[in-house]
Structures are given as structure tokens and as C-alpha cells.
Amino acid sequence: MTSPKGFTLTNTNSCRLKFARRFLRSLMEIRRRQTNHNNLLSSSSSSSSSSSCLGDQIRKSSQRIKLAAYSSMAYAVGPRKAWARALLWKLKNRSSNRRRFVVRKTCLLGVKKKKKKRVHVNKVNYQSKGYERDNNFVEKTEKLRELVPGGKAMDICSLFEESAHFVKSLAMQVQVMQDISDQLSR
Amino acid sequence: MDPPLISESSFSAANPAAYSLAEIWPFGPEQLPGSGLRVANMGPNPAGFAETSANRDGSMEESTVTEQSAGGGGRKRRDVSPEDESSKMVSTSSANELNNTNGKRTKLVGSKYEIGGPKAEAEASSVAGDKPAEQATKPSEPPKQDYIHVRARRGQATDSHSLAERARREKISERMKILQDLVPGCNKVIGKALVLDEIINYIQSLQRQVEFLSMKLETVNSRMNLSPTIEGFPSKDLGVQAFDAAGLLFGLQAPPREYAQGSHPPEWLHMQVGGSFERPTWVEKAFVLLAECLGLSRHHCIGRGI
């Protein structure tokens, strides 16, 4: 009944619950901070919020919400899964180091990657058997590796397993966020 | 294979050492004389060595136990896998290095794919030539059959490397199947690379959706935000409690929409009633555009297979 790969039904529910709770709490936190900020702004200079400043602020706070969503997802899943650990690690490093904000952001989303490290390991793998000799397959696997957090250090079996779990959690996250936003915007 | 080294042999029931050996022996005692086994009884040996030399035809049996007394310790080899019999059948009279290479090979396979772990251990100990350790590991060997179910079918290679590779490939395709079941509209795609492509698309679309939703949430959040002066902003902990209750209800109910109608925290309503929007229109436009884009991509992703 408790299979090691993927989570069971009850587990999904508990994950969803944990994620929703955490995410809502961090939303509250973000809102509180923003009101404080706004109050400060309005008290200091009432006409300072130009459109560019507002856009920048919107971008920043949506970024913050996204990060909160990711981190609460990782916390909800727990440290059993390698991708959750990797995600939390990335987020932690990022928040501690503000200077590399942009670089980390691309890292988190898996948009841009350096591939120096994998090459050596993969050479050994590719030579082994014909299953991976298919070049297309290899390319796609590399791409998947970039998308799943922490996927660079996995072998192919665990990569697939982790990415299955990751896809499940992402779908859960999207659904929960959708519901929250529907709820809040009515 | 090799001639028995001890000439004097007796099967005395009074000797406990002989008893233990007879128990360990996988074949019944009635086979013992027929197969030419001799149990050597050295009497009360202070070192605890009861040396047995077995002479068996290895090609007929699936599992052979060959023990040879050499120097101070006995060396024991046990082969349980029928596939590897031809490659692993090492005559005990041969040199030690053959045994060593064989042990190394199985150890390598075991560490990589976790097949035959205890066997590698047993071989390592047999190389060292420590008899009590062997006897300790021996009873634990038969229930461990991890590598048995990786059977070679007719015409397939029986090399241990090929077996491990085949097991790995099966594992990979199984994981692939799981992934394929998770991604909607991925069942009808043929070809590993295409399936992977579909999975990658799905993950990317989900991530984009998260981004979009966070933007949407930001607007909602700040919309509630911009009207703190209308009616005094609710105390923080109260708000947190309301959110938590919402989260609880949300998680417990299967269709999460339902709680929206029933238990709506009143302060949200108030805040939304008094919400004043000073948002520039381009933001709204961008949202609409993004939503269209996302809807398209989602539709594309889900609707392709259906």
C-alpha cells in the first residue's frame, strides 16, 4: 500500500494540505511586509510611485510569491526526495546571497545551464550499451536533467523516478495555486 | 576435479562438527556416499577446522560446494546461479588469481546494481580463507535470490554484464512507463525520445503556469493590499487564523471549490468591496496575454493525446 515510488492517495492529500498551509502563510507574510513597505513609502513621499517603480515592485513581489510557492512545495514533500532537497538548497543559497539574484533565478527555472560537469560521467554511460546510443534520447535526457532540480547528479533510473514525483507535485502545486487565486479574486 | 587430500574418512554421528556439516550440506545425507563425498574427521581439532574435501561433478549440479584444505584454512566456493556456471566454475586446484578476478567481477556488479551483494562478500571471505566466517555467511545465502529473477531467456547472453545491463534497461523502461502514465496525452506517443519530449513540455508548461499564477496571486494580494485604510486592516494573527482555516478546509475537501461558498472569511469580502484599483492597464493586458498563451499551451499539451 505504501509504494516507494510516487505517493499514495492519503499522502497526496497530506502533501496538498501542507503545501496549501505553508503557501498561504507565506502569502500573508509577503502581504504584511508589503503593506509595511507601502506605508513607509506613502509616509515619506506620497507621489514617489511612478509607473516604472510600480512595475518593478510588481515583478519583484511576484517573484517572491513564486519562490514561496516553490519552497513550500519542497517543504511539503519533505526531505525524502532528492529534488526537494536540491530545490531547498538552491533557494537557501539564493536567499542568503542577494548579489547573484539573476543567475540563481535562471538556475532555479532551469533555463540556462553549464554542462561541464556531466560530460565526463556521461561518456562512461554512453559507451556502455546501445540503449543510450540514441543521440536524441540522450539530448532529451539532458534536458530533463536540467528541468528537475538536482537532476544533474542522478543516474538515469533515479532521474526518471524523481521526475515522476516532481511532475506530480508540480501538478498539485498548480492546482492549489489556481484554486487559491480563484478564491481570492472573487 | 581434484583428488581428495585426506585418505582417512569416517562419518561418525557422535561428532558435532560432522553434524553441522551435514546440516549445511544442501543435499540429504543419503546422497553422500553416492556422490563420493567424504567427511574427514580429524577428531577434536583445537583450531576448529573440520576439513572436508568434496569431489563433485559441477556441470550436473546447480549448486556446488567445494572445499579444499590448503595450508591452515579451508577455502570454499559456492555457486548458486545456473547461468553463470560456465563462467564461474573454477576448479579449486587452479591458482588463486582466477578466484580473485572472479570475485572482483561479481563485487563490481554487486556494488553497481546491488545484485548478489552477499555473494561478493562470501567470495571475499573465501579468498581470505577464513572458515568460521564462511560458515556464518553460508546459511544466509540461500534466501537471498536477488539475481535469480534476472533470468536469461533462450538465446540471450548469459554474461553477468549482460544480465545486469538487461535488468537496468528493464528498470528504466518501467520508470518511463510511470512517467508516461503521469503526463496526460502521453500514452499514445511512440518512441522514447518523443515521450521524453512530451514530458519536458509538460514540465515547462507547469512551470510557466506557476509563474503566471504567482503573478495573478500578486495582483490579488496587492489588491487586497491597497485598501488597508478603508476599514482598519484586520489584526495579523486573526488573518493568519482565517487563512489556516481556509487551508485546512481546502485540503480536506475533495473538490476545493466548495468551501468558497460555504465558509468565506468575512474580512476578505469587506476588503474586496472596498478595493480600489490603481493598477495601470498594461498590467491587466499583459495578464490577459499571458493567460491566452498559457491556455493555448495547456490546451496543446492536454489535447494532443485526447
Side-chain angles (χ1 to χ4, degrees):
Chain A
M1 42 188 207
T2 54
S3 62
K5 43 197 166 219
F7 26 57
T8 55
L9 190 71
T10 56
N11 217 350
T12 317
N13 267 345
S14 80
C15 255
R16 172 189 293 260
L17 179 63
K18 274 184 206 162
F19 168 71
R21 207 182 276 172
R22 257 180 202 280
F23 183 57
L24 284 171
R25 197 170 293 157
S26 50
L27 264 186
M28 281 297 291
E29 182 66 31
I30 286 169
R31 182 157 56 140
R32 189 179 359 179
R33 215 183 295 161
Q34 221 168 24
T35 47
N36 284 346
H37 184 67
N38 277 354
N39 285 343
L40 272 181
L41 264 184
S42 58
S43 66
S44 63
S45 59
S46 56
S47 64
S48 73
S49 63
S50 64
S51 71
S52 70
C53 179
L54 189 60
D56 196 44
Q57 189 188 332
I58 287 167
R59 197 171 51 78
K60 250 183 196 169
S61 73
S62 74
Q63 182 78 22
R64 210 173 292 144
I65 287 175
K66 192 179 74 184
L67 290 187
Y70 274 121
S71 78
S72 45
M73 179 173 70
Y75 270 120
V77 166
R80 292 267 172 90
K81 292 287 167 186
W83 68 263
R85 268 178 282 142
L87 192 57
L88 279 182
W89 195 78
K90 267 182 193 169
L91 288 173
K92 204 179 93 187
N93 273 10
R94 168 212 178 83
S95 63
S96 69
N97 198 349
R98 281 294 164 134
R99 222 176 295 159
R100 285 190 255 169
F101 193 74
V102 183
V103 180
R104 298 285 168 134
K105 185 180 76 188
T106 54
C107 255
L108 175 71
L109 290 180
V111 178
K112 203 190 294 175
K113 288 293 154 165
K114 309 168 268 184
K115 290 190 185 173
K116 290 281 158 53
K117 262 186 189 170
R118 287 302 303 179
V119 172
H120 179 65
V121 183
N122 281 337
K123 236 179 215 167
V124 182
N125 277 344
Y126 295 163
Q127 283 171 359
S128 62
K129 288 302 153 189
Y131 188 74
E132 283 165 324
R133 227 177 272 154
D134 188 6
N135 219 4
N136 215 357
F137 183 78
V138 170
E139 266 176 31
K140 296 290 155 54
T141 313
E142 289 299 307
K143 219 170 171 185
L144 189 65
R145 243 179 240 289
E146 287 165 14
L147 280 179
V148 178
K152 279 193 214 162
M154 294 172 194
D155 64 328
I156 203 161
C157 267
S158 50
L159 172 72
F160 283 164
E161 203 173 324
E162 295 282 331
S163 54
H165 195 271
F166 183 59
V167 164
K168 256 188 185 173
S169 313
L170 261 185
M172 186 267 294
Q173 184 194 23
V174 165
Q175 199 193 342
V176 170
M177 284 174 81
Q178 185 84 54
D179 289 330
I180 289 175
S181 74
D182 281 358
Q183 168 58 33
L184 285 184
S185 62
R186 70 172 52 220
Chain B
M1 282 180 178
D2 62 327
L5 296 180
I6 300 112
S7 56
E8 191 259 325
S9 71
S10 66
F11 195 77
S12 70
N15 202 335
Y19 258 133
S20 67
L21 270 173
E23 276 169 12
I24 285 165
W25 193 256
F27 309 100
E30 66 276 0
Q31 286 184 4
L32 288 181
S35 58
L37 174 91
R38 299 183 199 174
V39 178
N41 185 14
M42 300 292 279
N45 202 342
F49 290 141
E51 284 152 5
T52 310
S53 89
N55 194 1
R56 281 201 161 218
D57 194 5
S59 60
M60 297 203 18
E61 310 288 339
E62 280 206 345
S63 91
T64 64
V65 176
T66 316
E67 185 176 330
Q68 182 195 23
S69 76
R75 198 175 36 197
K76 202 177 280 184
R77 267 194 56 82
R78 187 190 173 103
D79 269 348
V80 201
S81 67
E83 296 99 5
D84 295 343
E85 203 165 320
S86 55
S87 65
K88 295 266 180 67
M89 198 33 92
V90 183
S91 71
T92 43
S93 59
S94 72
N96 233 350
E97 57 258 29
L98 225 171
N99 212 348
N100 267 341
T101 52
N102 221 338
K104 238 186 265 171
R105 205 164 109 198
T106 48
K107 239 185 278 178
L108 207 150
V109 171
S111 68
K112 238 184 174 180
Y113 303 112
E114 298 180 339
I115 297 170
K119 194 178 163 194
E121 277 174 31
E123 292 221 347
S125 68
S126 80
V127 168
D130 196 7
K131 198 182 170 192
E134 277 167 24
Q135 280 196 343
T137 55
K138 208 180 160 189
S140 69
E141 259 182 319
K144 184 72 176 175
Q145 287 179 338
D146 258 357
Y147 51 97
I148 289 290
H149 63 249
V150 191
R151 269 239 156 83
R153 278 184 223 100
R154 210 178 162 80
Q156 287 180 323
T158 55
D159 194 13
S160 67
H161 288 288
S162 317
L163 282 178
E165 181 58 32
R166 195 174 305 130
R168 179 169 160 274
R169 255 178 282 147
E170 274 166 16
K171 217 165 141 193
I172 288 176
S173 57
E174 179 194 325
R175 299 288 150 75
M176 196 75 135
K177 197 83 193 309
I178 293 172
L179 259 178
Q180 212 169 341
D181 289 341
L182 277 178
V183 176
C186 203
N187 280 324
K188 289 167 186 170
V189 182
I190 299 171
K192 303 261 181 205
L194 288 179
V195 167
L196 270 182
D197 216 0
E198 205 70 15
I199 290 163
I200 288 165
N201 276 345
Y202 186 59
I203 292 180
Q204 278 172 343
S205 79
L206 281 178
Q207 280 176 341
R208 254 176 281 140
Q209 262 173 318
V210 168
E211 199 152 343
F212 167 69
L213 281 173
S214 67
M215 285 173 95
K216 203 175 162 192
L217 275 174
E218 196 271 332
T219 46
V220 173
N221 223 6
S222 57
R223 191 186 291 170
M224 293 161 68
N225 216 354
L226 288 174
S227 61
T229 53
I230 307 262
E231 44 138 7
F233 200 70
S235 62
K236 304 309 183 213
D237 40 8
L238 227 179
V240 169
Q241 272 175 9
F243 265 127
D244 268 352
L248 258 171
L249 279 167
F250 179 82
L252 288 179
Q253 285 178 3
R257 305 285 169 101
E258 281 183 9
Y259 90 99
Q261 286 103 27
S263 64
H264 200 85
E267 63 233 69
W268 292 359
L269 274 175
H270 289 190
M271 281 191 294
Q272 277 161 21
V273 165
S276 60
F277 316 128
E278 314 156 338
R279 212 153 264 286
T281 50
W282 62 266
V283 179
E284 305 289 344
K285 271 181 193 169
F287 281 145
V288 170
L289 271 178
L290 242 175
E292 274 176 3
C293 185
L294 276 173
L296 264 183
S297 75
R298 208 192 315 173
H299 178 72
H300 156 82
C301 205
I302 293 170
R304 189 183 280 181
I306 301 166

